[in-house]
Amino acid sequence: MAFVRWFKRHLVVIAGLLTLGYLLLPNIVVTVFSFNNPKGRFNYEWQEFSTEAWTDPCGVADMCGSLSLSLRIAAWATVGATVLGTMIAFALVRYRFRARGAVNSLIFLPMAMPEVVMAASLLTLFLNLGAQLGFWTILIAHVMFCLSFVVTAVKARVMSMDPRLEQAAQDLYAGPVQTFLRVTLPIAAPGIAAGALLAFALSFDDFIITNFNAGSTVTFPMFVWGSAQRGTPVQINVIGTAMFIVAVLFVLAGMVIGNRRNRQKA
C-alpha cells in the first residue's frame, strides 16, 4: 500500500521522466555509436570502442563542406526570418489595418502545409522566374518557412507585454527610439530569441524543401541522406552528438541566466 501511495504521488514526475527518456533515446544511440569502430560501411551494429572519428571529424570527403554550408544558410535564414518576423509580429499585435485577419491566417499556412507541397510550389516559382537553383534559392525558401515560427513566438511575447511600461517611459521624456531600445526590445527579447533559435534549428535540419530547391548544392541533411544509401560514416554521429551538446549547453546557459535575473529581481 505504501508503494501504491508513493507511486500515485509521483505519477506525474515518473511519466515526465519516462517521456523525456523516450525522446532522448535516439540522441543516446547516436552518441554511443559515435564511438563505434564498424567493420563494414554501415554503422548500425556495435563492434568496438574507438575515438578515431572524434579525432578526425572531417575525415569523410565533403562532409565538413556541407556542414559549413548548412550552418551559413541557417545563420542567414535566422537573421532574415527573425528581423522580418519580429516586425510582422509587432504590426499584427499593435496596429489595426484592413485584411489583418487574413494576414494572421496566411502566416500560419506554412506551418500547417505539408513540406512537400511547399517545396514543389517553391520549385515551380523559381523555375518560372528562371532562377538558378542553389544557395540563394535555399536561403529564400528557408526564410519563408521559418518566418511563421518566428512570428508565432514573438507575437505571443508581444501580446503579454504591458503597454503601460512604454507609456511610463514616454512620460519620462524618452523618445520613440529610446523607448523601443530600452523598454520594448528587452521585454520582447525572450520571444525574439526563442523564435531565432527555432528558426536556426528548422533551417539547419530541413531536408525536403532543401532537396527540391538545392540544384547541385549539398547541405548537411542531404549529405547524410546520400551517405545512408552507400554507407553511414561514424563522423555523422560525431557531428550529430556535437550539435546536441551545443543545444543542451544553450538551454543550460539560458536557465542559469534566467535564474540569476529572478534572484536579482527578488
Side-chain angles (χ1 to χ4, degrees), residues 9 27 30 35 37 45 56 72 88 127 142 179 190 205 248:
R9 284 199 306 270
N27 300 92
V30 168
F35 294 98
N37 184 21
E45 295 183 3
D56 188 19
R72 282 189 286 125
I88 293 172
L127 291 178
H142 283 206
T179 301
D205 182 62
V248 171

Side-chain angles (χ1 to χ4, degrees), residues 34-193:
S34 68
F35 294 98
N36 188 26
N37 184 21
K39 301 301 181 183
R41 295 181 302 165
F42 296 95
N43 185 27
Y44 297 152
E45 295 183 3
W46 180 263
Q47 300 293 333
E48 61 180 359
F49 181 85
S50 173
T51 59
E52 182 180 350
W54 281 92
T55 57
D56 188 19
C58 294
V60 180
D62 299 327
M63 190 183 74
C64 282
S66 64
L67 175 63
S68 174
L69 178 64
S70 285
L71 290 173
R72 282 189 286 125
I73 291 174
W76 283 112
T78 299
V79 172
T82 302
V83 172
L84 292 174
T86 300
M87 293 191 292
I88 293 172
F90 272 95
L92 291 174
V93 174
R94 295 293 179 84
Y95 299 97
R96 300 292 182 268
F97 53 88
R98 289 183 180 180
R100 180 169 171 265
V103 173
N104 263 315
S105 300
L106 288 173
I107 286 295
F108 288 99
L109 274 181
M111 299 172 64
M113 187 182 300
E115 283 196 25
V116 67
V117 176
M118 187 187 305
S121 302
L122 285 168
L123 176 60
T124 303
L125 173 65
F126 291 138
L127 291 178
N128 287 332
L129 292 175
Q132 183 178 358
L133 300 180
F135 177 89
W136 292 106
T137 55
I138 297 173
L139 180 60
I140 293 170
H142 283 206
V143 170
M144 198 203 78
F145 77 79
C146 289
L147 191 62
S148 299
F149 295 91
V150 176
V151 171
T152 302
V154 179
K155 185 181 174 184
R157 182 66 178 177
V158 175
M159 290 178 67
S160 65
M161 291 171 56
D162 189 352
R164 290 176 296 183
L165 296 174
E166 294 168 294
Q167 294 170 4
Q170 293 169 1
D171 290 339
L172 295 172
Y173 304 105
V177 176
Q178 272 187 314
T179 301
F180 178 78
L181 293 178
R182 297 193 176 186
V183 179
T184 308
L185 189 59
I187 297 175
I192 297 173

Side-chain angles (χ1 to χ4, degrees), residues 200-217:
F200 184 89
L202 290 169
S203 175
F204 180 83
D205 182 62
D206 181 76
F207 171 77
I208 297 176
I209 295 176
T210 304
N211 191 39
F212 270 74
N213 299 280
S216 59
T217 305

